[in-house]
C-alpha cells in the first residue's frame, strides 16, 4: 500500500481488531476508504469477544452473551467487505516516521502470516487500537506456577474452555474480576472467593458520585447483574478490603495468604488467612499498550495520581475527533483510557470515520460522540472507584522477584533507587536488568517505575523502537509488495 489507491480512495490502516479497531474499520469503510485491518490473533474480536474454536462454539450458548450477535454481524460485514484487507496473525513491529517535511502518518512495518513476510505500508491515515493488558502487582510467590493474570485465566476459559484449576481464588481490584470468575465457573473451576482490595466505602464513593450519569450505562448494569447472579448461584464469596499478599507451594502454588487491607492497601495486622488452592488469578487493572503510539510520536496524558495503575502510567492524548498529536494518526479504545467495550466501539467509530475523510458534522456521528463522552465519564468513575493503594509495596520482602524474566528482586530495585550513580532510569535498567528479558518490561515496567517513582519517558516501559520481536533473517530480507485491493467484489482477494 503506497498512499491513495488507483481508485483515489483514502487508504486507512487500522492496528488492532478488538471492539475499537473493528468499529474503526467499519466506519472507515462506510466513509468510502480502503482499509487494511491488522491483528496478531487468528480471529477478530480481541479479548472481550474471545470465542471458542469454531468446532465448539455453535453448541455453546455462552457465545451468544453480551453483544455477540451484534459483534458477529459487524465482523462479517467488515471482514467480508471488498474494500477491506484482513491481515490476521500479523504484527506491526515498527513505525517509521517519514521525512520531517512530510506531515503524513508514519510508515507501518508489518510481519504477516506464516511463514512471516515483511511488508511496509504507507497509509493516508493510521488508526491505533492496540488495547491493554493486565496489570499485576507483585507479591511473594507470584512467580510460582499456578499464579495467573486474570486476563490469561479468562482467555483460557473463554477461548478453550480450559479450567486453570479446581480450587481457585480470584483477587485484585476492579469490576473485571467478576467476568473472570464467571468464565472460570463456566469452565468447571470451583471459585472459592473473589477478593476485592478496595474497601466498600471508597468504591461506593467512586461509583455513586453524580449518580444520574449512571443512567447512560444501563447495559453495563445488566451485565454486572448477570455476573453477580452467576456468583450467587455458585455461592462464591465476594470479600471487600482483602488482598492476596503471598502465594506458597513446593514447585507450584498450593496455598495463598490473604490479608485485610486499609484504604491505602497497607496490611491490617492479624487479618491474615491461609487458603488451600491450586490456582490464583490476580488483576490490578490494566496497562495500555503504548509502544506504537510512543513510536509514532504521539503525546501522552498522565492518569490521576494512583488511579488505574501506577503514578507513572499514561494514556494517549486525543482530541474530540480521536486525533493524536501526530498528523494522520488516530487512537481509540483502551490506549486512550480504560472504559470498556462500548466506549471503545464509540471511539473506534469516530476515529475510523474521521480518518477516512468523513464529514465531522455528520448527524450519525453526533450520537456516537455522545456515547463516547459517556464512556469517558465512565472511565473516570472507574478510576476513582478502584485506585491502586499507595502502600502495596509493604507486601514485598527483599527477596520478592519484581522482574520475572531477569529474576530482579525488590532489594535490587530499591538499591538502584537510592544509588546516586543509578538515578537515571536507563542506567538503573542496565544495573538491575529489570525489563531486559523477553517481555521487555511489559509486565514489570510500570511496577519498577512506580517503585523508583520515575516517569522518564525516554527509558520508560513503552519506549521500544522495535515493538515486536523480529528475526535477523526476516530483517535481512527486503519487504514484499503488499497485495492490492480488488477493483470489484468479483475479483478474488489476495488478503
Amino acid at each position: 500500500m503506497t498512499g491513495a489507491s488507483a481508485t483515489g480512495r483514502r487508504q486507512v490502516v487500522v492496528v488492532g481488531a478488538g471492539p475499537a479497531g473493528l468499529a474503526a474499520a467499519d466506519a472507515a469503510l462506510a466513509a468510502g476508504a480502503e482499509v487494511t485491518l491488522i491483528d496478531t490473533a487468528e480471529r477478530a474480536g480481541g479479548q472481550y469477544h474471545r470465542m471458542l474454536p469454531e468446532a465448539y462454539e455453535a453448541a455453546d450458548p455462552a457465545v451468544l452473551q453480551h453483544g455477540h450477535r451484534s459483534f458477529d454481524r459487524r465482523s462479517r460485514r467488515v471482514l467480508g467487505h471488498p474494500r477491506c484487507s484482513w491481515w490476521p496473525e500479523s504484527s506491526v513491529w515498527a513505525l517509521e516516521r517519514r521525512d520531517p517535511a512530510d506531515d503524513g502518518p508514519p510508515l507501518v512495518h508489518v510481519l504477516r502470516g506464516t511463514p512471516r513476510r515483511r511488508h511496509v505500508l504507507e497509509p493516508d491515515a493510521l488508526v491505533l487500537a492496540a488495547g491493554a493488558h493486565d496489570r499485576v502487582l507483585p507479591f511473594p510467590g507470584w512467580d510460582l506456577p499456578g499464579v495467573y493474570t486474570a486476563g490469561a485465566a479468562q482467555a483460557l476459559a473463554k477461548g478453550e474452555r480450559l479450567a486453570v484449576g479446581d480450587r481457585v481464588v480470584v483477587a485484585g481490584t476492579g469490576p473485571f474480576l467478576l467476568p473472570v470468575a464467571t468464565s472460570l465457573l463456566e469452565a468447571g473451576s470451583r471459585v472459592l472467593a473473589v477478593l476485592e482490595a478496595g474497601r466498600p466505602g471508597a468504591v461506593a464513593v467512586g461509583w455513586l458520585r453524580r449518580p444520574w450519569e449512571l443512567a447512560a450505562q444501563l447495559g453495563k448494569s445488566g451485565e454486572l447483574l448477570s455476573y453477580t447472579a452467576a456468583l450467587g448461584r455458585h455461592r462464591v464469596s465476594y470479600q471487600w478490603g482483602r488482598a492476596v499478599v503471598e502465594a506458597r507451594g513446593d514447585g507450584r502454588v498450593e496455598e495463598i495468604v490473604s490479608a485485610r487491607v486499609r484504604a491505602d492497601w497497607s496490611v491490617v495486622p492479624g487479618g491474615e488467612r491461609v487458603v488451600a488452592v491450586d490456582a490464583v488469578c490476580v488483576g490490578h487493572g490494566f496497562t495500555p499498550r503504548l509502544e506504537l503510539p510512543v513510536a509514532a510520536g504521539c503525546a501522552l496524558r498522565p492518569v490521576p495520581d494512583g488511579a488505574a495503575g501506577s503514578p507513572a502510567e499514561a494514556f494517549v492524548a486525543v482530541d474530540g475527533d480521536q486525533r493524536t498529536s501526530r498528523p494522520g494518526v488516530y487512537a481509540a479504545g483502551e490506549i486512550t483510557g480504560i472504559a470498556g467495550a462500548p466506549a471503545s466501539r464509540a471511539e473506534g467509530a469516530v476515529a475510523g470515520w474521521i480518518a477516512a475523510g468523513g464529514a465531522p458534522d455528520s448527524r450519525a456521528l453526533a450520537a456516537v460522540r455522545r456515547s463516547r463522552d459517556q464512556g469517558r465519564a465512565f472511565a473516570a468513575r472507574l478510576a476513582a472507584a478502584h485506585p491502586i493503594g499507595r502502600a502495596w509495596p509493604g507486601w514485598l520482602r527483599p527477596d520478592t522477584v519484581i522482574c520475572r524474566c531477569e529474576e530482579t528482586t525488590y532489594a535490587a530495585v530499591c538499591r538502584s533507587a537510592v544509588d546516586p550513580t543509578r538515578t537515571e532510569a536507563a542506567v538503573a535498567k542496565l544495573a538491575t536488568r529489570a525489563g531486559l528479558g523477553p517481555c521487555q518490561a511489559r509486565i514489570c515496567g510500570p511496577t519498577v517505575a512506580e517503585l523508583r517513582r520515575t516517569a522518564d519517558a525516554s527509558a520508560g516501559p513503552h519506549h521500544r523502537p522495535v515493538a515486536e520481536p523480529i528475526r535477523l533473517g526476516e530483517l535481512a530480507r527486503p519487504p514484499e509488495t503488499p497485495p492490492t485491493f480488488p477493483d470489484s467484489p468479483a475479483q478474488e482477494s489476495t488478503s
Side-chain angles (χ1 to χ4, degrees), residues 11 54 110 159 169 212 267 300 345 386 393 439:
Q11 303 282 319
E54 292 179 358
V110 185
V169 166
W212 58 88
V267 172
L300 305 180
R345 285 191 289 267
H386 300 278
C439 89

Side-chain angles (χ1 to χ4, degrees), residues 402-408 425-445 448 459-461 463-464:
I402 301 299
C403 172
R404 295 190 291 186
C405 296
E406 296 293 324
E407 299 184 347
T408 304
V427 175
K429 188 174 184 179
L430 291 173
T432 65
R433 298 199 57 79
L436 295 180
C439 89
Q440 288 292 287
R442 288 176 175 85
I443 303 301
C444 70
V448 172
H463 181 72
R464 299 184 188 91

Side-chain angles (χ1 to χ4, degrees), residues 147-168:
V147 180
Y148 295 85
T149 66
Q154 188 192 45
L156 290 171
K158 290 177 66 174
E160 303 293 338
R161 278 296 181 265
L162 178 63
V164 296
D166 295 323
R167 294 173 53 86
V168 184

Side-chain angles (χ1 to χ4, degrees), residues 1-13 34-36 98 102 105-107 120-125 482 485:
M1 181 193 295
T2 55
S5 67
T7 63
R9 297 181 184 273
R10 280 179 66 82
Q11 303 282 319
V12 177
V13 168
E34 292 179 344
V35 175
T36 300
R98 306 192 201 193
D102 190 337
L107 305 178
V120 180
L121 306 181
E122 299 182 41
D124 298 306
F485 289 93

Side-chain angles (χ1 to χ4, degrees), residues 291-313:
E291 297 92 345
L292 294 180
V294 169
C298 302
L300 305 180
R301 62 173 179 85
V303 300
D305 201 29
S310 81
E313 271 193 45

Side-chain angles (χ1 to χ4, degrees), residues 298-301 315-319 322-325 331 335-336:
C298 302
L300 305 180
R301 62 173 179 85
F315 294 105
V316 180
V318 293
D319 66 8
Q322 302 300 131
R323 291 187 178 92
T324 71
S325 61
I335 60 174
T336 69

Side-chain angles (χ1 to χ4, degrees), residues 422-431 452 456 458-459:
R422 301 175 181 178
T423 54
E424 293 294 330
V427 175
K429 188 174 184 179
L430 291 173
R452 289 179 46 80
D456 182 356
S458 67

